[in-house]
Amino acid sequence: MRQRILVPLEILEGETVGPGVVDLLASTDVVLLGYHVIPEQTAPSQARMTFEEKAQAKLNDAAEALREAGATVETVLAFTPEREQTLDRVAADHDCDAVLHLNPVMEDENLLVVLHGDVDAERIGRFTAAFVDGRDVDVTVLEVTPPDEAATRTGVVTDALVDGGYPRQRLTREHVESTTPVKAIAEVATAFDAMVMGEKAPNLRALVFGDFEERVAAESIGAVFVVRREDRES
Amino acid sequence: MSADSGVQSSGGANREGETPAQVAETVTDETSVDVDRDERVELERTIGLGGGLAIGVGTMIGAGIFVFPGIAAGRAGPAAAASFAIGGVVALLVALPASELATAMPRSGGGYYFISRGLGTMAGTMVGISLWLGLVFASAFYLVGFGSYATAALAEVGIGFAVSPVTVLGLAFGAVLTALSVTGTENAAKLQNAVVGLLLVILTLFLGYGGLDALGVFGNATTPETFLPFGTVPVFTTAALVFTSYLGFVQVATVAGEIQDPGRNLPLAMVGSVLVVTVFYVVTVFVATSAIGSTRLAGFGETAIVEVARVLLGPLGAVAIFVAGLLATLSSANASILSSSRAIFALSRDALLPRRAGTVNLRYGTPHLALAMAGVPVLGLVALGEVELLAEVASFLHLVMYGLICVALVQLRRNRPDWYDPSFEVPGYPVVPALGAVASFGLIAFMQPLSQLVGVALMIAAAGWYVFYARDVSLRGKL
C-alpha cells in the first residue's frame, strides 16, 4: 500500500525538496504543499495577487522532480497567516498518513524509528512497514523513556515490519533513558538519513516550546516523517 | 493571474490598461479555494467569531466612551445618551443588510465590494475611495483622542508643557503605528483581542459600579438634571457627531475573506459588536451625566470620562480609565489604518487604483504602499487637530456607504444574479434596508455645514477620479 505523505514547503523562502528526499519519496503519494506565511495586516488574497505566479512556478518545478522519481504528486498552494492550521487542515483534507519535515538529507540508506511518550506504536509500525516495503534500507527502532523505565514497545514496531516482509536480521532495537528526549533523539539521529516518529497529543509543553516533533526535526539533519494521530482524522 | 471559471468575468480596462483581477474562489468554512488548470490555490481563513467581534468592538469602543461623552454632554445634556442610542439604531439598521451582503460575498473589501457589485463601478469607486478616506479621517480622530489622553496622563504625573503636546503625541504614535504595520507585527491580532477583552472588563466594572451608584444603591440617588436642556434638535446633531463611534462594524466585512465559517460568524460579529458597543455607550453617558452632571462633564472635553472615574472610584479608577483610554484610542487608530489599506487593496484589485498600490513586498509580507497611502494622510489630518471635523467627515464618508449598502441590497434582491445566495437574510425586508438608507442619509443632514462641505467635495473628487481613470471598468453584477 502506498503511503500518502504531506510535504510542506515554504515555497518563497527558497525551501526545496533535496535529491535525497526525492529518493525517499519515490514510491509514495505526495501532497506537495507550497505555503507562504503572511502577517496579519495582509489579506491572503492580497499576497496571492502578488506572489501566485512565482510560487506556483517553483511548486511545479518541485513537483516535476518528484514525479520523475516515480512519486504521484498533487500540489496545493496556500497563503496563510497560520502555518500550523494550514498544515493540519491540508493533511486532514487529503487524508495523509504522515507529514514530512524537510532537512538537507542526501541519502536514503538507513531509517530511525523513534518511540517516545504517548504515541501510537502500532500505527507507526504499520506506516514504517509500508514505507520500507521494497526498499534497501536498514531500520533501527529506538525507544526513549525516562530513567529507570523499561522499553516496552519496540517489539510492536519490529513485529509489524516483519509481518510486512521486512527481514528481521536487518532490524536493530535500541533503548535510551533520558530526561532530555529531544537532545537524546537528535544525538542518535545524527547517524541516520531519515527518521519516523509519531505525532503526540497537543499539551501545555507543546504550547510553550512548540511541537515535540518540530523541535526534534529542528535538531536533526535528516528528513523527519511524523505519522499523524488516528483520532485527528475523523 | 488565473482566468475565471464558471463565473462571468468582469470587463474593461483602466487608464493604464489593467483589468479587474477576477478569480473564482469557492468559499468553505476554513478556506477560499480556487482550482484552476489542476492548480489548487487555498487562502486560509483564520479569524473566528471572537476575532471578528474583537475587530468590530475594538474599532468602535475607543471613540464612544473615551472621547465623546464630554463633547456630547456639552451639546445635548443628559440626552446625549439618546444620541448614542439613535446612533446604535442606525448602525443596527445597516449592520443587518450589510450582514446579508457579507454572507453572499465573503470577500475582502466589505462595503466597497457589495456596492461595486450591486450598483456598478461609479458608485463602487466613490464608495471605495470614501471608505479609504473615511477610515483615514477616523484614524486621525482616534489619534487626536489618544494625544489628549497621553497629554492628560502626563499632566497627571506632573509633566506639563508650555504648548499642548496633543498633536505631537498623536503624530508620533501615528507614525509608529504605520511603521509597525509596514514592517510586520507578530501577533498583533492576538494582542488586539486581549486589549479588547481587558477594556471590556475595566468598563464593565466601572459602569457596573457607576450605574448602581447612580440608581442610589450606595447612598442617595443622584438628582436627575433636565433631560433635554437644549431641546430635541441637538440630540440629532449630536447623534450625527457621535456616529463615528459606530464605524467599526463594517470593518468586520473588510476582512470577510479571512473569517471562518462566514455564513455564521459574519452576521454574529457585525450585529453583535453593534449591540455590545451601543449598550456600553448608552450606559457610559448615563453614568457620566449622573455622576458629575453634563455641564461639568463638558468642561473636561475629550478626557471627561477620567474625571467621572475619579469621582466614582478615586485615583485608582482614574488611572484604570487612563490606561483603558490610551489602549482603546490606539487600538481603534491601528484597526482603522489596517482596514483602510484593505480598502485600497480591494480598489487596486478591481483596477480602480493602480495595481501597484495593492502589491505586497516579499521582505515583510506587507502591502507597504497601501499602508503608506493610509498612514501618511492620517498624519496630515492629525496635524489639523480638529476633533469634531475629523469625526464628522469620517461619519459622512461612512454614512454614504451605509446608505448605499442598503440600496445595493434592494437592487441585488430585485435582480438576483445566480451567485447571489446569502446564508443570512435580513429580517423585515424591505422595511429594514429602506429605513437603514433613509436613516443613514438623514443623519448626514444634521452635521455641521463645514463637515458636509468637505464630505461632498471628497465624493466629487472620487467621482472625478472614476471618470478620469476607470470609466471603462465594469464590475456590476459580477462576483
Side-chain angles (χ1 to χ4, degrees):
Chain A
M1 195 187 81
R2 285 167 80 96
Q3 298 295 300
R4 191 191 299 260
I5 297 177
L6 178 70
V7 181
L9 280 180
E10 193 160 13
I11 196 81
L12 291 172
E13 300 293 324
E15 216 175 14
T16 53
V17 186
V21 180
V22 170
D23 294 340
L24 273 176
L25 296 170
S27 58
T28 62
D29 295 332
V30 173
V31 176
L32 191 62
L33 166 66
Y35 66 91
H36 184 56
V37 178
I38 49 176
E40 287 147 348
Q41 53 269 66
T42 309
S45 53
Q46 200 166 5
R48 175 188 181 180
M49 199 168 85
T50 309
F51 299 132
E52 180 179 4
E53 235 168 280
K54 190 175 166 195
Q56 191 72 55
K58 287 188 170 199
L59 191 61
N60 289 346
D61 287 349
E64 206 41 52
L66 285 165
R67 285 196 188 102
E68 273 170 24
T72 70
V73 184
E74 271 179 85
T75 65
V76 177
L77 181 60
F79 294 94
T80 176
E82 301 264 4
R83 174 179 179 272
E84 296 307 312
Q85 183 182 324
T86 301
L87 259 59
D88 286 348
R89 182 184 53 74
V90 175
D93 282 355
H94 292 262
D95 201 13
C96 293
D97 299 298
V99 180
L100 176 63
H101 292 261
L102 291 169
N103 271 320
V105 62
M106 297 299 287
E107 310 284 330
D108 62 336
E109 282 165 10
N110 56 16
L111 182 69
L112 178 67
V113 180
V114 178
L115 297 173
H116 172 264
D118 64 341
V119 295
D120 184 343
E122 268 179 49
R123 204 171 152 77
I124 294 171
R126 279 202 304 277
F127 173 85
T128 312
F131 186 73
V132 298
D133 190 31
R135 259 179 224 275
D136 182 25
V137 58
D138 292 316
V139 176
T140 298
V141 183
L142 167 72
E143 180 160 359
V144 181
T145 62
D148 304 323
E149 265 184 42
T152 53
R153 294 177 296 169
T154 50
V156 178
V157 176
T158 53
D159 287 352
L161 280 161
V162 172
D163 286 349
Y166 187 82
R168 193 176 279 276
Q169 62 273 21
R170 290 188 73 173
L171 275 169
T172 314
R173 284 159 69 159
E174 277 190 45
H175 176 211
V176 171
E177 297 176 11
S178 172
T179 49
T180 52
V182 174
K183 235 162 109 186
I185 294 169
E187 246 163 55
V188 177
T190 51
F192 290 84
D193 300 322
M195 194 186 325
V196 173
M197 56 194 299
E199 183 188 23
K200 296 184 179 206
N203 58 23
L204 193 63
R205 263 185 91 80
L207 269 179
V208 180
F209 298 106
D211 284 342
F212 182 79
E213 308 87 69
E214 301 225 335
R215 285 187 292 142
V216 172
E219 295 281 319
S220 308
I221 51 164
V224 179
F225 292 88
V226 177
V227 179
R228 296 181 65 235
R229 295 169 64 81
E230 200 139 23
D231 52 31
R232 285 259 298 263
E233 284 173 22
S234 53
Chain B
M1 211 44 66
S2 309
D4 234 3
S5 51
V7 189
Q8 50 184 324
S9 61
S10 314
N14 66 17
R15 213 176 160 78
E16 294 172 76
E18 294 163 345
T19 54
Q22 288 303 301
V23 281
E25 287 165 7
T26 312
V27 174
T28 70
D29 286 355
E30 294 161 291
T31 52
S32 304
V33 185
D34 179 17
V35 185
D36 180 53
R37 302 185 305 265
D38 299 326
E39 287 174 356
R40 188 180 172 87
V41 181
E42 301 184 341
L43 308 174
E44 199 76 41
R45 292 177 177 270
T46 48
I47 302 175
L49 178 58
L53 279 168
I55 290 170
V57 174
T59 309
M60 291 191 271
I61 209 147
I65 288 177
F66 296 103
V67 184
F68 276 134
I71 301 171
R75 280 192 174 198
S83 304
F84 274 102
I86 291 169
V89 170
V90 175
L92 195 60
L93 287 173
V94 180
L96 290 166
S99 296
E100 171 172 331
L101 292 170
T103 62
M105 296 173 258
R107 310 290 179 83
S108 292
Y112 155 73
Y113 198 90
F114 315 148
I115 289 162
S116 60
R117 269 55 186 178
L119 301 175
T121 312
M122 179 162 178
T125 310
M126 291 171 69
V127 164
I129 290 177
S130 57
L131 178 59
W132 160 25
L133 297 178
L135 287 162
V136 164
F137 273 87
S139 193
F141 160 76
Y142 299 134
L143 281 169
V144 174
F146 171 81
S148 306
Y149 269 85
T151 305
L154 288 172
E156 194 77 12
V157 294
I159 305 175
F161 296 88
V163 186
S164 163
V166 171
T167 306
V168 176
L169 287 166
L171 281 174
F173 275 82
V176 168
L177 285 183
T178 309
L180 278 179
S181 59
V182 170
T183 53
T185 44
E186 239 172 273
N187 299 324
K190 280 177 196 126
L191 188 65
Q192 169 101 353
N193 294 359
V195 166
V196 172
L198 179 68
L199 282 175
L200 292 184
V201 169
I202 293 179
L203 288 173
T204 306
L205 291 174
F206 165 56
L207 296 175
Y209 181 86
L212 293 175
D213 185 63
L215 296 172
V217 176
F218 311 120
N220 299 327
T222 36
T223 330
E225 327 167 51
T226 322
F227 188 66
L228 287 169
F230 311 112
T232 46
V233 174
V235 176
F236 287 95
T237 56
T238 307
L241 172 70
V242 301
F243 193 72
T244 319
S245 330
Y246 291 99
L247 301 188
F249 68 93
V250 282
Q251 264 65 283
V252 181
T254 62
V255 295
E258 292 137 76
I259 300 248
Q260 294 167 342
D261 194 358
R264 166 181 173 269
N265 288 342
L266 275 170
L268 282 177
M270 291 169 78
V271 174
S273 58
V274 168
L275 291 175
V276 168
V277 299
T278 304
V279 169
F280 272 99
Y281 293 165
V282 171
V283 174
T284 299
V285 175
F286 170 72
V287 166
T289 50
S290 304
I292 62 177
S294 58
T295 324
R296 265 181 77 199
L297 200 61
F300 292 120
E302 282 91 344
T303 54
I305 202 72
V306 174
E307 306 310 321
V308 177
R310 203 192 306 278
V311 169
L312 285 174
L313 302 169
L316 201 65
V319 168
I321 293 298
F322 262 127
V323 171
L326 290 169
L327 286 175
T329 47
L330 211 51
S331 101
S332 295
N334 188 45
S336 301
I337 291 176
L338 294 185
S339 296
S340 182
S341 87
R342 293 291 168 89
I344 294 167
F345 159 60
L347 284 164
S348 77
R349 180 181 56 189
D350 286 340
L352 303 181
L353 283 175
R355 182 70 33 93
R356 268 173 57 77
T359 49
V360 176
N361 68 72
L362 187 53
R363 176 149 180 221
Y364 298 120
T366 52
H368 52 291
L369 281 173
L371 287 165
M373 284 166 72
V376 173
V378 166
L379 300 183
L381 292 173
V382 171
L384 208 67
E386 292 287 332
V387 174
E388 298 195 10
L389 180 69
L390 293 175
E392 284 201 345
V393 174
S395 296
F396 181 106
L397 294 172
H398 276 78
L399 282 166
V400 169
M401 175 174 80
Y402 291 178
L404 289 176
I405 282 176
C406 298
V407 176
L409 174 83
V410 175
Q411 184 71 14
L412 282 166
R413 281 271 194 117
R414 287 170 64 176
N415 293 342
R416 269 218 189 244
D418 293 339
W419 51 261
Y420 190 74
D421 183 21
S423 53
F424 169 85
E425 297 215 347
V426 62
Y429 177 87
V431 178
V432 167
L435 281 177
V438 170
S440 300
F441 295 133
L443 214 46
I444 291 175
F446 288 99
M447 288 180 178
Q448 304 168 39
L450 180 60
S451 311
Q452 293 169 333
L453 197 69
V454 174
V456 169
L458 289 172
M459 298 301 297
I460 291 173
W465 173 258
Y466 159 76
V467 173
F468 166 76
Y469 190 78
R471 201 172 5 176
D472 297 329
V473 177
S474 144
L475 299 168
R476 185 168 176 165
K478 288 144 187 171
L479 192 56

